[in-house]
Amino acid sequence: AHRYARALDELYGAGRGEGSGDLGRSGPGGGDGPSFPTAREWSQELESLFGADVREEVLADAAGAGRTDVLAQLDPSSVRPSVELLTSVLSLAGGMPEQQLARLRPLVKRLVDELAAQLATRMRPALSGLSTPRPTRRPGGRLDLARTLRANLAHTRRFDDGRVVVVPERPVFSSRASREADWRLILVVDVSGSMEASVVWSALTAAVLGGVPTLSTHFLAFSTQVVDLTGRVADPLSLLLEVRVGGGTHIAAGLAHARSLITVPSRTLVVVVSDFEEGAPVGGLLGEVRALAASGAHLLGCAALDDSGAPRYSIPVARQLVAAGMPVAALSPLALARWVGDRLRGEPS
């Protein structure tokens, strides 16, 4: 029983609970027995007592609580992916030297790949039909074999040897889907302090939306400065490792940079992910919003979400943004995908 208590106390009692010393001692506090010397020994003890699955769960919780020494003990192939764990790992990785970070990359890659795949599965229905080839009787595209067979089932010939052949009197072709990026999505993401969870979701969402053929996705990260990370959208792992969360907030600067990227406003979506705690004078922010709205661009403000998924943003500033022409809402990545899909299909907002 002491082994069990000691192993779990390393996490839940922080080395000071009843498992840390003499179990027979009464009263508050714990004993003065030694804690586990290394994370490796703790990992081995957890696995021998509780099994590999419980070990990964406990070590992941420890990493989330700030225990950098356990990161190397997490098994990338068996750890349970979650945005919370990824956020914690990225936060801890920010101050690591490259040698330690290199050992951590397989874990971060597994978390990013799994979470992006899960998100893509949920978002796919909202984005369906945006680039699907349409059937046509006019030749020019590929022959749509399945539709051609269905359309010509009445035109069959039976030969003496029993063979049945469908005669394609009405061939159906697939019109070529446009491979050009007809629409432009500019994600303007606040990476100031306390925005970790929203930044993770934004990077994963950008990677999924970047796979839509008719959509050119840009990623602008801003605090008091603006960094264009569009070139890393296709690789969310690289994008997340490049982002540095912290600093102040200058939303107007992010929107000004976004405005400089617009060529066809009516086919441009500008989405701001922020807590809208503008550090600069709000008048500059409202001016940028009014300019974008007047140009005809489609605007949306997405409120930041805290660790529990609840919206966390400045309501007074959000109200002023709405009045200036930018709707503000607390949206999940799936709801954002529906909004993007509706705009691309020409459906009213």
Side-chain angles (χ1 to χ4, degrees), residues 56 71-81 85-86 89-90 93 96-115 235 237-238 241:
E56 293 302 321
L71 292 177
Q73 303 303 319
L74 288 171
D75 183 1
S77 63
S78 60
V79 70
R80 184 174 58 193
L85 176 58
L86 177 57
V89 173
L90 289 171
M96 285 187 172
E98 182 57 36
Q99 183 177 3
Q100 294 183 22
L101 187 59
R103 295 198 299 268
L104 198 60
R105 283 180 185 272
L107 172 62
V108 180
K109 177 174 172 52
R110 161 83 198 293
L111 295 175
V112 170
D113 289 348
E114 288 288 331
L115 291 171
D235 183 3
L237 171 60
S238 176
L241 290 176

Side-chain angles (χ1 to χ4, degrees), residues 10-198:
E10 191 72 10
L11 173 67
Y12 299 111
R16 295 184 299 273
E18 63 178 11
S20 63
D22 185 1
L23 290 178
R25 177 177 297 181
S26 60
D32 56 0
S35 61
F36 281 99
T38 67
R40 181 186 297 253
E41 290 179 326
W42 185 32
S43 173
Q44 293 172 347
E45 188 79 335
L46 286 169
E47 183 170 6
S48 67
L49 291 171
F50 305 104
D53 291 342
V54 172
R55 179 200 64 189
E56 293 302 321
E57 183 176 351
V58 171
L59 292 181
D61 286 346
R67 288 283 300 270
T68 58
D69 57 330
V70 305
L71 292 177
Q73 303 303 319
L74 288 171
D75 183 1
S77 63
S78 60
V79 70
R80 184 174 58 193
S82 70
V83 172
E84 294 76 18
L85 176 58
L86 177 57
T87 302
S88 298
V89 173
L90 289 171
S91 177
L92 296 172
M96 285 187 172
E98 182 57 36
Q99 183 177 3
Q100 294 183 22
L101 187 59
R103 295 198 299 268
L104 198 60
R105 283 180 185 272
L107 172 62
V108 180
K109 177 174 172 52
R110 161 83 198 293
L111 295 175
V112 170
D113 289 348
E114 288 288 331
L115 291 171
Q118 294 172 15
L119 182 60
T121 300
R122 296 200 301 269
M123 290 171 60
R124 193 170 293 121
L127 300 171
S128 63
L130 296 180
S131 60
T132 304
R134 293 174 296 180
T136 177
R137 302 293 182 187
R138 300 174 61 183
R142 283 187 171 186
L143 178 69
D144 191 324
L145 183 58
R147 286 192 172 96
T148 296
L149 287 174
R150 288 195 296 269
N152 292 276
L153 288 176
H155 309 292
T156 58
R157 293 181 183 176
R158 183 180 297 275
F159 291 89
D160 294 339
D161 58 3
R163 288 182 300 125
V164 177
V165 177
V166 176
V167 180
E169 295 183 3
R170 300 169 57 201
V172 179
F173 299 90
S174 294
S175 62
R176 292 184 178 180
S178 173
R179 303 193 70 84
E180 298 181 357
D182 299 328
W183 283 78
R184 176 172 292 179
L185 169 65
I186 305 175
L187 278 172
V188 187
V189 181
D190 187 347
V191 295
S192 59
S194 304
M195 289 292 296
E196 291 93 346
S198 292

Side-chain angles (χ1 to χ4, degrees), residues 212-348:
V212 178
T214 57
L215 189 65
S216 172
T217 302
H218 298 255
F219 193 101
L220 303 181
F222 73 89
S223 53
T224 52
Q225 296 180 328
V226 183
V227 180
D228 192 334
L229 298 174
T230 300
R232 301 184 184 274
V233 165
D235 183 3
L237 171 60
S238 176
L239 176 58
L240 285 168
L241 290 176
E242 185 72 20
V243 170
R244 291 292 178 265
V245 177
T249 306
H250 193 184
I251 309 173
L255 287 178
H257 194 122
R259 191 155 56 92
S260 71
L261 299 175
I262 297 176
T263 54
V264 183
S266 63
R267 301 182 74 79
T268 302
L269 313 174
V270 179
V271 177
V272 182
V273 181
S274 176
D275 57 10
F276 303 112
E277 297 282 356
E278 178 67 305
V282 178
L285 170 59
L286 298 178
E288 287 294 337
V289 170
R290 292 190 186 101
L292 285 166
S295 73
H298 303 264
L299 306 179
L300 180 65
C302 288
L305 304 177
D306 63 17
D307 294 338
S308 64
R312 180 184 53 78
Y313 63 103
S314 170
I315 295 178
V317 174
R319 287 173 177 165
Q320 295 181 69
L321 292 175
V322 172
M326 175 186 283
V328 176
L331 299 180
S332 67
L334 178 57
L336 175 59
R338 291 196 186 103
W339 181 84
V340 171
D342 289 345
R343 299 293 84 70
L344 267 60
R345 295 185 188 95
E347 298 178 14

